[in-house]
Amino acid sequence: MLKVDCLIIGGGMVGAATALSLADLGLKVALVEANAPQSYLPEQGLDLRVSAISLASEQLLQQLNAWQQVKDWRSCVYKRLGVWEDDIAYAEFNADEIQQSHLGHIVENRLIQLSLWQQLEQKNNVTLLCPEQLDTFSQSSDKVFAQLTNTQVEANFIIGADGANSKVRQIAGIGITGWDYQQSAMLINVKTELAQQDITWQKFVPGGPLAYLPMPGNNGSLVWYQDKAEIRRLSELTNEQLQTEVGKNFPKRLGKVEVIAKGAFPLTRRHANNYVKRRVVLLGDSAHTINPLAGQGVNLGFKDVAALQAVIAKAIGSGENYHDETVLKRYERNRRTDNLLMMTGMDAIYSTFANPSTPIKLLRNIGIFAAHRAPLLKKKALAYACGIR
């Protein structure tokens, strides 16, 4: 039987970052993942799954010695964020307004995961169990006993970083609240005629937002929010047919576009009723999934990682039992309110822009117009979105 301090289920971006952050505190960690990240080659096409990495997330990845490798591979830095519904009401946020060189980077999820795994492989207090999966686990008063497909593990506590359908959460009997937004989002990788790499933008239209995320070179990731039936229809089109639809519906800022790849996923909201239960801790999508409107999903997960590391580091420094439920609950108190605030805020924006009422639309545009001309409000909103104070 493998004996460790912490067993982490899920080796994606958040799970891998958690493993590194706890290993850096001297804990003996085992990380369970079904599929290792694919190696990187410069000639590989851009992945569909990308994230807008905030300044706070960038700082965490720097701390974990994983950020420089990501930058050496490929990423796209952006300095501005544009939001509008009608052209007369356009708001733009600029990194200069918060005295920063940039607002964030658009990075392929796989490259972040891969860089974190490369760091994990150098740690002699980390055991990577891959390919492996969790079958079940049980808890005693002071231990967790997990049965994996091929391995038995004993740990002081277990972390669920295994996504929105977390098996850890289900076995622990932690309930969730949430709903289906009755919409899907389509991701479309494109080559663009015009370069526009320092800005990410979002236009609100009746069916749902249209967004652009810059990628290295004259490449971009388009995000198309629509009802499920329409996204199914779009998904069945050839790349050439979809290209025509993009030309009809998206703003003309990018000139002609060539569709390279596409994929779609449903929009859902999930929030665990507890982040901690006895010796079980949930992080990232296992604890909360958010409307991707502002690209905050993985950034909230990385905030979870930083908060848990801080709580455990303080407990170790104070001579406390770091895996006691009363200690781990401090992480939940630290993160739950902030996550709920962000989730509620995104839902409010989503609902407001989904309302077709003419008076509501007028108020929306007045709000965007005013926001562009309110420097203090813009500064506070930008700093919060970037995760800085």
Side-chain angles (χ1 to χ4, degrees):
M1 178 180 287
L2 175 64
K3 296 184 179 182
V4 295
D5 296 314
C6 177
L7 173 63
I8 301 172
I9 308 299
M13 294 183 289
V14 171
T18 305
L20 261 182
S21 68
L22 297 185
D24 285 346
L25 296 180
L27 272 61
K28 189 175 180 181
V29 177
L31 180 65
V32 175
E33 174 56 41
N35 302 292
Q38 179 188 2
S39 298
Y40 170 75
L41 294 171
E43 60 268 24
Q44 289 170 339
L46 295 164
D47 286 357
L48 278 170
R49 291 284 187 170
V50 301
S51 293
I53 298 301
S54 70
L55 294 175
S57 295
E58 180 182 325
Q59 290 166 5
L60 175 68
L61 293 170
Q62 285 175 339
Q63 174 201 320
L64 299 175
N65 296 318
W67 182 242
Q68 187 58 52
Q69 180 62 81
V70 171
K71 290 183 67 178
D72 289 346
W73 285 332
R74 60 189 181 200
S75 64
C76 187
V77 65
Y78 64 94
K79 184 176 181 178
R80 298 179 293 142
L81 165 64
V83 180
W84 77 100
E85 183 172 18
D86 289 338
D87 291 339
I88 59 170
Y90 175 82
E92 186 169 292
F93 302 83
N94 194 303
D96 293 340
E97 294 168 319
I98 52 172
Q99 291 77 54
Q100 298 291 329
S101 62
H102 58 281
L103 296 179
H105 287 75
I106 307 299
V107 188
E108 296 155 77
N109 293 358
R110 177 179 64 86
L111 299 188
I112 298 172
Q113 181 194 17
L114 179 60
S115 182
L116 289 165
W117 273 56
Q118 289 185 351
Q119 291 299 314
L120 288 169
E121 288 167 351
Q122 298 176 35
K123 299 285 185 180
N124 57 19
N125 57 334
V126 173
T127 302
L128 286 170
L129 299 172
C130 179
E132 266 284 19
Q133 296 185 68
L134 174 69
D135 285 343
T136 189
F137 68 87
S138 61
Q139 303 182 63
S140 69
S141 60
D142 62 347
K143 295 290 181 182
V144 172
F145 302 93
Q147 178 61 59
L148 310 180
T149 304
N150 303 298
T151 314
Q152 291 182 323
V153 183
E154 176 187 305
N156 291 328
F157 69 112
I158 184 170
I159 289 177
D162 50 340
N165 298 314
S166 171
K167 192 169 186 178
V168 173
R169 188 184 67 223
Q170 293 168 19
I171 294 173
I174 298 174
I176 58 172
T177 58
W179 54 80
D180 188 328
Y181 289 103
Q182 300 302 318
Q183 275 201 324
S184 292
M186 188 172 199
L187 306 176
I188 310 170
N189 280 1
V190 297
K191 287 187 177 296
T192 64
E193 178 185 19
L194 303 176
Q196 194 174 139
Q197 308 313 119
D198 75 330
I199 186 171
T200 179
W201 47 254
Q202 193 153 192
K203 180 178 182 180
F204 291 92
V205 298
L210 304 170
Y212 164 75
L213 308 175
M215 295 292 286
N218 276 37
N219 293 288
S221 173
L222 305 182
V223 189
W224 194 338
Y225 299 83
Q226 256 292 353
D227 65 75
K228 292 181 177 181
E230 177 62 7
I231 292 297
R232 277 196 299 271
R233 184 188 73 82
L234 293 171
S235 298
E236 293 170 357
L237 300 179
T238 65
N239 286 357
E240 291 74 18
Q241 291 170 329
L242 182 58
Q243 200 166 292
T244 301
E245 294 287 343
V246 168
K248 291 177 182 176
N249 290 274
F250 273 75
K252 309 304 179 188
R253 292 181 161 213
L254 305 173
K256 295 179 181 178
V257 301
E258 176 189 352
V259 172
I260 305 300
K262 60 183 183 292
F265 61 93
L267 302 183
T268 59
R269 166 173 164 154
R270 300 286 184 268
H271 200 194
N273 295 339
N274 305 99
Y275 292 3
V276 174
K277 186 175 181 181
R278 296 178 64 193
R279 295 183 175 275
V280 175
V281 181
L282 303 178
L283 290 92
D285 284 355
S286 298
H288 45 79
T289 58
I290 185 173
N291 191 310
L293 199 62
Q296 287 297 314
V298 73
N299 294 312
L300 293 183
F302 283 144
K303 283 185 176 182
D304 292 349
V305 174
L308 182 64
Q309 183 192 44
V311 164
I312 291 179
K314 187 174 181 180
I316 292 172
S318 302
E320 293 182 274
N321 185 352
Y322 66 86
H323 47 84
D324 190 85
E325 184 176 15
T326 58
V327 172
L328 297 175
K329 279 286 186 181
R330 296 170 193 165
Y331 149 73
E332 179 174 342
R333 288 195 296 271
N334 180 299
R335 292 299 306 140
R336 187 174 179 81
T337 300
D338 184 57
N339 287 335
L340 187 58
L341 179 63
M342 180 64 78
M343 295 168 78
T344 303
M346 291 304 100
D347 285 344
I349 294 172
Y350 178 85
S351 299
T352 299
F353 279 93
N355 193 318
S357 164
T358 300
I360 296 295
K361 180 178 179 179
L362 178 61
L363 288 173
R364 287 197 299 259
N365 282 279
I366 290 173
I368 295 174
F369 186 84
H372 186 59
R373 289 154 181 81
L376 183 60
L377 177 62
K378 287 176 71 178
K379 184 175 180 179
K380 287 184 176 295
L382 261 187
Y384 180 68
C386 292
I388 62 176
R389 302 298 180 188

